[in-house]
Amino acid sequence: VRLAEALQVLDSDRYPSKKQAKKAIKYGSIVVDGERGTHDTLVFNSSRVAVQGRTSEAFGMAAFRRDGGELPFTIKVLYQDNCMAAVHKPPGVNSHPPSTASGPESFNSMSVAVPYFVAPAEGHGTEVNPWRPGPVHRLDKATEGVQLIAKTRQARRALMLQFQERQVAKRYIAVVEGRVREREGVIDIDIGDKPSHTRFRVLGTTPSSASRTDSCLTTLELFPKQGRTHQLRIHCKEHFGMPIVGDNRYGGLDLGCGLLLAAVDIKVA
């Protein structure tokens, strides 16, 4: 029999209708004898049918509602175990879909895409147990870099508690326009009437004819204690008087390469 019909017989609770069975097949959730099942796959008495987590290929199909659609973006997995993962968030991608997003636009977010690239924890992330991996913290849409992913509810609670209690060490690299005179220091500028502290260190300067200040660019290492919205972008603008390169919102120099701010390292207990 065809796979959709077989699913209704094998697990009528999970697939009470052919429509639900076909949806699972379309999104790459069903494996038959070690290979991804299709609508044309035939199931025999000797066949082994299994449910798997979501796949990057299925992400492209889900996002564009058709086979063969190019992926909106890809996610590089830097580390993962059975509880959590660390991934690289590309620039231009939301951590979560905007409330106004719909259709393919809603797929331009990490929370939607992550389950297609990160392996679920054992017993999680499949149709048997629908809890899926998701981001624990946000990065600005324009910012790229390391983002932590929780694979279980327990891991999410533990990681979020560390963020709330400021136990997570975060390191960013940014490039600002001009020459920063201080070699290192701490920026204390409230954001939204809330205390906001960022430690910084100068890594070096680079000559640049495009720079409107000092004919150079400065590369900084930034260590935010909190995670206020646009904290690093505001602190660079207000403390140094130098916006991060590519930061159109705060008057940064546009070199045509996007926002030069990246989350490069994150440490949890």
Side-chain angles (χ1 to χ4, degrees), residues 170 172 184-189 191 195-201 220-228 230-236 239-240:
K170 297 166 286 185
Y172 289 74
E184 59 184 325
V186 176
I187 303 170
D188 287 307
I189 298 176
I191 297 176
S196 305
H197 311 283
T198 300
R199 185 165 58 87
F200 71 89
R201 185 162 65 100
L220 298 169
E221 202 171 27
L222 301 170
F223 305 87
K225 184 176 181 180
Q226 296 82 10
R228 312 294 185 206
H230 295 178
Q231 178 170 328
L232 300 181
R233 298 162 67 177
I234 292 172
H235 276 183
C236 286
H239 183 79
F240 303 119

Side-chain angles (χ1 to χ4, degrees), residues 5-253:
E5 298 171 352
L7 290 175
Q8 289 181 271
V9 174
L10 293 170
D11 197 337
S12 59
D13 291 333
R14 192 185 303 169
Y15 307 108
S17 69
K18 185 175 289 188
K19 180 180 179 180
Q20 288 176 292
K22 286 185 174 181
K23 183 178 180 180
I25 295 169
K26 177 181 178 180
Y27 291 164
S29 298
I30 309 302
V31 175
V32 179
D33 294 330
E35 296 186 3
R36 179 190 161 199
T38 69
H39 295 300
D40 295 325
T41 298
L42 295 176
V43 177
F44 304 94
N45 290 335
S46 59
S47 298
R48 295 188 61 186
V49 181
V51 177
Q52 69 167 3
R54 301 184 177 195
T55 65
S56 59
E57 182 182 9
F59 179 47
M61 294 192 301
F64 291 98
R65 299 292 193 270
R66 65 174 186 271
D67 291 348
E70 293 184 4
L71 298 181
F73 59 92
T74 60
I75 296 174
K76 182 178 181 181
V77 179
L78 306 173
Y79 166 83
Q80 63 178 320
D81 55 30
N82 201 46
C83 297
M84 62 174 287
V87 302
H88 178 268
K89 185 190 90 66
V93 175
N94 293 298
S95 291
H96 298 279
S99 58
T100 57
S102 61
E105 182 186 358
S106 67
F107 282 83
N108 189 38
S109 68
M110 295 296 287
S111 61
V112 173
V114 158
Y116 292 92
F117 294 88
V118 173
E122 184 177 350
H124 292 259
T126 68
E127 293 180 38
V128 176
N129 189 333
W131 205 89
R132 299 179 294 156
V136 177
H137 60 109
R138 293 175 182 265
L139 291 178
D140 290 345
K141 180 178 180 180
T143 304
E144 66 175 297
V146 183
Q147 189 167 43
L148 296 185
I149 307 299
K151 293 189 177 187
T152 67
R153 288 184 177 88
Q154 294 87 346
R156 180 176 178 80
R157 283 195 293 267
L159 290 170
M160 289 190 71
L161 182 61
Q162 290 190 47
F163 275 96
Q164 292 167 3
E165 296 184 350
R166 316 297 183 201
Q167 296 176 343
V168 179
K170 297 166 286 185
R171 183 169 68 96
Y172 289 74
I173 299 294
V175 178
V176 298
E177 183 180 8
R179 184 184 302 277
V180 175
R181 308 298 175 181
E182 308 165 83
R183 300 310 299 174
E184 59 184 325
V186 176
I187 303 170
D188 287 307
I189 298 176
D190 290 358
I191 297 176
D193 296 324
K194 295 181 179 179
S196 305
H197 311 283
T198 300
R199 185 165 58 87
F200 71 89
R201 185 162 65 100
V202 173
L203 296 181
T205 58
T206 304
S208 173
S209 59
S211 175
R212 299 164 295 186
T213 306
D214 299 325
S215 299
C216 71
L217 305 175
T218 299
T219 301
L220 298 169
E221 202 171 27
L222 301 170
F223 305 87
K225 184 176 181 180
Q226 296 82 10
R228 312 294 185 206
T229 300
H230 295 178
Q231 178 170 328
L232 300 181
R233 298 162 67 177
I234 292 172
H235 276 183
C236 286
K237 166 68 174 178
E238 298 298 324
H239 183 79
F240 303 119
M242 304 171 184
I244 296 174
V245 173
D247 194 345
N248 297 328
R249 178 164 185 160
Y250 297 101
L253 177 67

